[in-house]
Amino acid sequence: MSFEITGTLVKKYETETKGESFRVRDFVIKANDGGQYDNFVKFQTTQDRTSIIDDLNEGDEIKVHFDLRGRQWQDKYFTNLNAWRVEAMAAGSAPTPSAANSDTPGNFPSASDEPMVEADDDLPF
């Protein structure tokens, strides 16, 4: 199962080595889900994917692609959100209405954009 979520990077943890060669790194985002309360979500990266957040800074808007994983150990159950790709969201990726190109389809002129018509034309209608 693959999922994605957008949010603000809140915390990057250092890479940890478990055992001889297994590497793991966690990070937390504040999800942009529009809820009444802040929704903090912790993700895990492993092995060669521990570097996918190296170029990101806390406070950056990001999109996280992840898998939901669960396992059982000694009659206990664990759930991990394994991130496999993280994308930085482009600042200002959506154009503001004032910066929109007037030649784009669906961008209709307003009444203030209409040319002024002189009252001294010769047409009877």
Side-chain angles (χ1 to χ4, degrees):
M1 268 187 267
S2 185
F3 301 93
E4 64 182 48
I5 189 171
T6 59
T8 305
L9 181 60
V10 174
K11 178 78 174 162
K12 291 188 334 183
Y13 293 93
E14 294 297 322
T15 302
E16 298 178 22
T17 302
K18 310 254 185 191
E20 299 246 347
S21 62
F22 185 74
R23 293 179 306 166
V24 64
R25 184 176 191 184
D26 295 336
F27 65 96
V28 178
I29 70 166
K30 183 170 96 172
N32 296 338
D33 59 4
Q36 181 179 1
Y37 300 102
D38 290 339
N39 187 12
F40 293 94
V41 183
K42 182 178 169 186
F43 293 93
Q44 173 180 296
T45 58
T46 57
Q47 298 300 81
D48 60 336
R49 299 207 189 266
T50 58
S51 63
I52 64 175
I53 60 171
D54 284 347
D55 295 335
L56 300 171
N57 298 312
E58 293 177 2
D60 288 352
E61 293 293 318
I62 61 174
K63 179 187 283 188
V64 181
H65 300 264
F66 65 98
D67 295 326
L68 179 64
R69 302 289 175 160
R71 65 184 187 283
Q72 177 188 13
W73 183 71
Q74 296 182 352
D75 206 28
K76 293 183 182 178
Y77 297 89
F78 300 91
T79 304
N80 289 337
L81 303 177
N82 289 326
W84 48 271
R85 184 170 71 187
V86 177
E87 302 170 8
M89 302 297 289
S93 61
T96 59
S98 62
N101 185 354
S102 62
D103 295 334
T104 57
N107 189 8
F108 301 106
S110 66
S112 64
D113 293 337
E114 293 296 317
M116 294 291 281
V117 177
E118 296 293 326
D120 62 346
D121 60 6
D122 294 333
L123 297 176
F125 48 91

